Amino acid sequence: MTARAPRAALYARVSTTGKGQDINLQLDELHQVAEQRGWTVVGSYADDGVSGAKDRRPELDRMMGDAQAGKVDIIAVWKLDRLARSVRHLLDVADSLTACGVDLVSVRDAHVDTTSPSGRFTLQILGAVAELERALIQERVQAGVDRARAAGKHCGRPVVEIDLRPALAMLDLGHGLKATASAMGVSRTTLRQRLTEAGEWPRPRGVGKSPPPGPA
């Protein structure tokens, strides 16, 4: 029984049109490679005039949908920067394709071809580099936070400043913490924290009067 030829989807992208970028140059070369390697081209997907800074693109999304539907075996691109805006985005796409059993081939990037062991290894190296980059960024952020705290600077969410005088007046009239916080336009947790920091919470026993009559 003759083995079925791999079904290939060809993806091309240019960010601008009419400025020396011709998307057909990419597609022509992809078709040539497909013919040389014995692939059956089942679809061409071209995002013409679409920035690579966008993770979501009409033709890219359509192609990924066809891959998830089991319509293709290989996705071929002219260069990786036509497909992904960053290493992280590339790895996300590659992971999605792997989950679908679809290979990724870049005809202009040496050794990026997951139909071969060396190509799969190249993507693993890219993943390791991306993981190291994330770890280094986290270390730099944490070091910056530690330095700021050592200098007495606040880190995290901005502190909500509250004039506690009207809050204390409402509490002393017998209003609850929830109603007081709502009237002040802050959360009950924030109001309790600010009162605690000011030494005004919990309120002393016996402080407060019954709230003024009003609608039930």
Side-chain angles (χ1 to χ4, degrees):
M1 182 177 179
T2 304
R4 172 176 59 81
R7 300 165 299 169
L10 312 180
Y11 180 76
R13 181 189 63 79
V14 293
S15 56
T16 58
T17 57
K19 294 184 179 180
Q21 297 191 59
D22 186 352
I23 203 165
N24 290 315
L25 295 176
Q26 298 177 34
L27 291 173
D28 289 345
E29 185 169 344
L30 289 169
H31 275 283
Q32 291 173 9
V33 171
E35 184 177 358
Q36 292 167 0
R37 299 187 61 168
W39 301 337
T40 298
V41 176
V42 294
S44 295
Y45 307 79
D47 280 313
D48 203 351
V50 180
S51 170
K54 297 180 179 179
D55 286 359
R56 302 296 302 272
R57 306 169 213 144
E59 287 295 274
L60 175 61
D61 290 348
R62 186 169 72 89
M63 181 180 69
M64 295 300 291
D66 287 345
Q68 292 167 1
K71 297 180 179 180
V72 301
D73 303 309
I74 296 170
I75 285 178
V77 297
W78 188 61
K79 291 184 66 176
L80 290 178
D81 63 3
R82 301 299 89 193
L83 177 66
R85 67 180 180 86
S86 65
V87 172
R88 182 68 262 163
H89 184 211
L90 169 64
L91 294 173
D92 287 343
V93 172
D95 287 345
S96 297
L97 295 178
T98 299
C100 302
V102 177
D103 284 310
L104 173 64
V105 175
S106 173
V107 302
R108 286 291 186 100
D109 294 295
H111 309 301
V112 178
D113 179 347
T114 62
T115 64
S116 68
S118 62
R120 290 191 290 272
F121 179 70
T122 298
L123 277 182
Q124 290 172 359
I125 293 298
L126 288 174
V129 170
E131 186 66 31
L132 175 61
E133 182 183 14
R134 285 195 298 274
L136 291 175
I137 289 172
Q138 290 174 352
E139 286 182 4
R140 289 196 294 269
V141 170
Q142 187 59 51
V145 170
D146 291 343
R147 286 195 299 271
R149 285 175 174 167
K153 297 179 180 178
H154 172 75
C155 298
R157 295 182 179 180
V159 175
V160 178
E161 299 295 339
I162 303 173
D163 183 352
L164 294 179
R165 289 173 296 181
L168 291 171
M170 288 187 65
L171 291 169
D172 289 346
L173 285 172
H175 293 281
L177 187 65
K178 182 177 180 180
T180 302
S182 178
M184 297 289 295
V186 298
S187 71
R188 180 168 54 181
T189 300
T190 296
L191 179 57
R192 183 191 293 113
Q193 183 176 350
R194 296 294 170 268
L195 288 168
T196 301
E197 291 170 353
E200 298 288 355
W201 188 265
R203 301 297 290 148
R205 288 178 176 270
V207 173
K209 304 175 182 178
S210 299

